[in-house]
Amino acid sequence: MQERTRGGRHKRRMKLALPAVATAVALLGVGITLTATQSAEAAGARVSAAPQKLTEPSQSELRKRVIAAMEGDAVSKRSLVKQPDSAAENTAEDTTESGTTSAPAARIIGGQETTISSAPWMAQLYFRDSSGAGYFCGGVVIAPTKVATAAHCVKGIRWYETGTVVVGTDQLPTTNADGSLDYHGGEARGAYRQWNHPQYSPYTVNNDVAVLTLTSPVSVKTLPLAQPTDSALYQPGLDGKVYGWGRTSSTNPDSASQTLKVADADIVSDADCATAYPDGFIAGSMLCAGAPPTGDDATSETTCNGDSGGPLVVQGKLVGIVSWGDEDCSAAGKYGVYAKVSTYSAHIQSRVDDTNWNNDHTADLLARRTSDNTLFGWTSRVTSFARTQNLGSFGGVTLAVQADLDRDDNQDILYRVSNGDVYWDHFVPSLGEWQSKLVAVKWGTHKQILVPGDVTGDELPDMIAVDSAGTMRVYPGRGNGGFQAPISNGTGWGNFTMMRGHGDFTHDGNADIFARYADGRTFLYKGMGATSSRVFDHPVLVGAFGYMNAIVTTGDVNTDGVADVLTRDKAGALWLYPGDGNGRFKSRVAFGTGWQAYSLFG
């Protein structure tokens, strides 16, 4: 598909999607509920509601979607080969109801076949637009319920209605003699949530990144993200590999590969990429990779239609997402262009760690009414909270923090009860009930317990505890609700009256924490992503919250991709301090009054 450049001229550029082929406890933490056998220890804590989610589509429904996408492809192939000049004239008025153009076209030529064991995180994406046209993209599993892909494979598509993600196979589906669908050992999931970068442009194809949230976890190995500090992974000439099922011919729209292919795609310098695409390449958010095509499929090795959304991998990390290229995939000197993942890793990671009570991509607040210990879920409306869930009685808890410790996309609670024991409560969808696990015994004198996210650099959520002597210990998470042996991170942490953290406030890919003294001085401790004794960088003063009696960190409240901070003042007013991505805050926003009647968790 041709896209308009920033200068208003038109360029032969195509996105690489393909039509589908064959307080009582003021802020000391969140926890949740207990099974009947543990209710005594919980001193009356009860959570009576399950996290809100759409019903998972049946396997029969998912198969119908895949078949419909493949059949839709048969009637949309003609539009895939539009002449560039006519395609360039597409405007907002030329798009379909779904917001996509009638033919999201995009770009392995050359390369060789490979197996799913060499790329276990690969995903196939099948979907349709509102006209019924079917499409196919690649994707990459970055967490058990999260698939990263290109924004042009997501924006405007009703994924929860028409989309299916297939993982765990190197083969595209085929139909059996009886008409049934064969996934060749793969498994299918729906996607009930979708996110694309809010500044994605279908004309410049800038910010071409997206994340799909699957209806239930998959068990395949995940691929780590390149982080902003991973500049060494982008050195020109560094060995890279790109994977996909896309077209093997730049002229034949029916040439998608039945078997997963891999191609060499070494990193190309920004200067060379800009020379190849003087009006289209945007340094910093895009990169080129691979040897320059020769003008002939037989001697080129590059991406082509259907590879969109697939991964560019360097040294075991996701460094790029297949985005666009010349309409003639093998056009001489026209590299494949990718979204630069290190630029977007913080935005992507915030979607990975965005579990909440109603699963809408906004961080929610749990607040317990002090008059009767009823726990309520408050849903973010971006500029305010709305009380949407009564979660039942929640007495006897002295500290609680919310986090998805087992990465199943259901919100968990880690909490301490009156005898000092710490529990992890998690909802089990297959059973339709909450289950509890004892995490620690007799931690009643511990001053702080936090679950800020990944502080050790392995992309798994960790726990932090400060004991009565002021010693901090980091407990690396296992990704299943359990923790490894603790790492000591020094003493003196007992001098702080509040410590909070949930998310990456500095956009470097690592979770950070805040620590406040009794006089209100609050410091940011930037996560180092390390497993040594220096888990956090030197403190930076970020605020004087002396008038505040509560600080809450639950994630991204205003949906801008940056973690935020909530505070409650002594008059009971709640304030949102939006994070700016640099460890500081934008102008605060009022979030209502009367909050002195609640204990705020998180």
Side-chain angles (χ1 to χ4, degrees):
M1 175 176 295
Q2 191 175 24
E3 296 294 339
R4 192 171 60 195
T5 66
R6 288 168 292 167
R9 291 175 293 169
H10 297 96
K11 180 168 189 62
R12 290 178 62 191
R13 187 181 349 172
M14 56 191 289
K15 295 172 285 186
L16 304 185
L18 180 68
V21 293
T23 94
V25 202
L27 299 161
L28 294 181
V30 184
I32 261 198
T33 115
L34 312 176
T35 62
T37 58
Q38 294 168 316
S39 59
E41 291 132 308
R46 292 282 191 285
V47 169
S48 58
Q52 296 177 350
K53 277 191 176 182
L54 294 176
T55 302
E56 181 166 5
S58 67
Q59 287 298 307
S60 175
E61 165 64 18
L62 294 176
R63 285 188 175 89
K64 289 179 181 177
R65 294 181 185 181
V66 173
I67 292 171
M70 296 169 71
E71 290 175 344
D73 170 39
V75 298
S76 65
K77 275 183 177 146
R78 204 170 285 145
S79 62
L80 177 64
V81 290
K82 273 185 179 180
Q83 291 301 310
D85 289 344
S86 62
E89 300 305 319
N90 284 337
T91 63
E93 287 73 31
D94 298 319
T95 59
T96 66
E97 265 183 25
S98 66
T100 63
T101 57
S102 59
R107 321 177 18 118
I108 269 177
I109 292 175
Q112 59 187 5
E113 292 184 353
T114 189
T115 63
I116 196 64
S117 61
S118 67
W121 17 257
M122 282 299 297
Q124 304 169 19
L125 277 55
Y126 298 87
F127 55 98
R128 290 176 295 140
D129 65 18
S130 62
S131 71
Y135 301 104
F136 174 89
C137 277
V140 55
V141 181
I142 56 175
T145 63
K146 306 289 179 175
V147 173
T149 187
H152 70 262
C153 300
V154 169
K155 184 175 173 61
I157 300 296
R158 295 177 179 174
W159 261 91
Y160 64 94
E161 289 183 348
T162 72
T164 300
V165 177
V166 177
V167 302
T169 179
D170 48 42
Q171 299 294 306
L172 296 180
T174 56
T175 52
N176 298 316
D178 61 359
S180 62
L181 198 64
D182 186 353
Y183 289 135
H184 301 283
E187 52 183 316
R189 295 288 189 277
Y192 75 98
R193 280 194 292 167
Q194 61 191 75
W195 171 88
N196 60 262
H197 194 286
Q199 274 76 56
Y200 164 67
S201 167
Y203 302 106
T204 64
V205 203
N206 196 23
N207 307 308
D208 194 14
V209 294
V211 177
L212 296 172
T213 299
L214 305 181
T215 48
S216 60
V218 293
S219 58
V220 303
K221 183 179 179 181
T222 60
L223 186 63
L225 304 173
Q227 302 296 342
T229 53
D230 284 330
S231 57
L233 297 180
Y234 294 91
Q235 294 301 311
L238 202 61
D239 179 58
K241 304 291 184 185
V242 61
Y243 300 79
W245 289 271
R247 272 169 39 180
T248 59
S249 165
S250 58
T251 58
N252 180 4
D254 292 317
S255 61
S257 177
Q258 171 63 28
T259 302
L260 178 65
K261 297 188 75 176
V262 58
D264 289 323
D266 297 352
I267 301 299
V268 173
S269 71
D270 284 353
D272 286 348
C273 195
T275 298
Y277 299 105
D279 296 322
F281 174 69
I282 302 175
S285 59
M286 301 177 183
L287 76 147
C288 287
T294 64
D296 182 357
D297 287 354
T299 54
S300 297
E301 191 168 359
T302 185
T303 52
C304 198
N305 302 63
D307 292 320
S308 273
L312 174 63
V313 182
V314 173
Q315 296 181 8
K317 285 193 174 184
L318 177 63
V319 302
I321 292 174
V322 179
S323 181
W324 60 274
D326 194 271
E327 185 174 26
D328 175 0
C329 303
S330 295
K334 297 297 186 179
Y335 306 100
V337 185
Y338 302 77
K340 190 174 183 180
V341 169
S342 63
T343 298
Y344 302 106
S345 59
H347 289 85
I348 295 172
Q349 189 62 44
S350 70
R351 296 306 103 191
V352 173
D353 187 28
D354 69 348
T355 305
N356 53 69
W357 286 96
N358 64 339
N359 294 286
D360 63 354
H361 279 309
T362 59
D364 300 327
L365 176 66
L366 296 183
R368 182 178 64 186
R369 189 163 57 195
T370 55
S371 62
D372 59 4
N373 289 325
T374 300
L375 185 67
F376 294 99
W378 297 76
T379 298
S380 171
R381 301 297 192 218
V382 180
T383 58
S384 64
F385 282 116
R387 198 172 82 181
T388 57
Q389 286 181 290
N390 184 324
L391 301 176
S393 176
F394 204 66
V397 171
T398 62
L399 178 154
V401 287
Q402 52 188 353
D404 181 14
L405 293 179
D406 57 359
R407 303 199 306 166
D408 67 348
D409 204 52
N410 288 304
Q411 186 73 299
D412 310 329
I413 296 185
L414 187 75
Y415 63 97
R416 182 176 64 192
V417 296
S418 54
N419 70 352
D421 292 348
V422 178
Y423 291 89
W424 167 57
D425 276 26
H426 60 291
F427 186 75
V428 182
S430 61
L431 300 176
E433 65 180 32
W434 288 87
Q435 291 191 343
S436 294
K437 178 181 178 181
L438 184 64
V439 172
V441 177
K442 305 302 181 185
W443 273 16
T445 59
H446 274 54
K447 297 179 179 295
Q448 311 286 346
I449 302 175
L450 302 83
V451 188
D454 173 28
V455 298
T456 57
D458 61 0
E459 300 196 0
L460 299 175
D462 307 316
M463 177 175 65
I464 293 175
V466 177
D467 65 18
S468 58
T471 300
M472 175 187 285
R473 292 181 176 85
V474 177
Y475 293 78
R478 298 182 183 274
N480 60 1
F483 301 94
Q484 301 180 47
I487 303 166
S488 179
N489 193 48
T491 60
W493 297 92
N495 296 323
F496 295 109
T497 57
M498 288 186 191
M499 292 177 62
R500 305 288 180 264
H502 188 88
D504 175 12
F505 293 88
T506 56
H507 261 199
D508 62 355
N510 301 314
D512 312 306
I513 64 172
F514 294 95
R516 193 186 87 156
Y517 287 109
D519 62 6
R521 287 177 299 141
T522 302
F523 293 83
L524 171 72
Y525 282 84
K526 180 181 176 180
M528 303 289 285
T531 56
S532 66
S533 59
R534 191 182 177 202
V535 178
F536 297 104
D537 203 353
H538 300 295
V540 176
L541 181 66
V542 294
F545 293 140
Y547 191 64
M548 304 295 174
N549 58 19
I551 300 175
V552 182
T553 51
T554 62
D556 178 16
V557 175
N558 63 1
T559 72
D560 63 355
V562 184
D564 307 311
V565 171
L566 291 161
T567 67
R568 183 183 62 196
D569 64 28
K570 294 178 180 178
L574 194 66
W575 300 91
L576 176 74
Y577 285 80
D580 68 355
N582 296 306
R584 296 187 181 278
F585 307 107
K586 302 175 184 177
S587 299
R588 71 179 187 176
V589 179
F591 261 60
T593 59
W595 290 94
Q596 69 272 22
Y598 293 89
S599 302
L600 308 181
F601 289 159

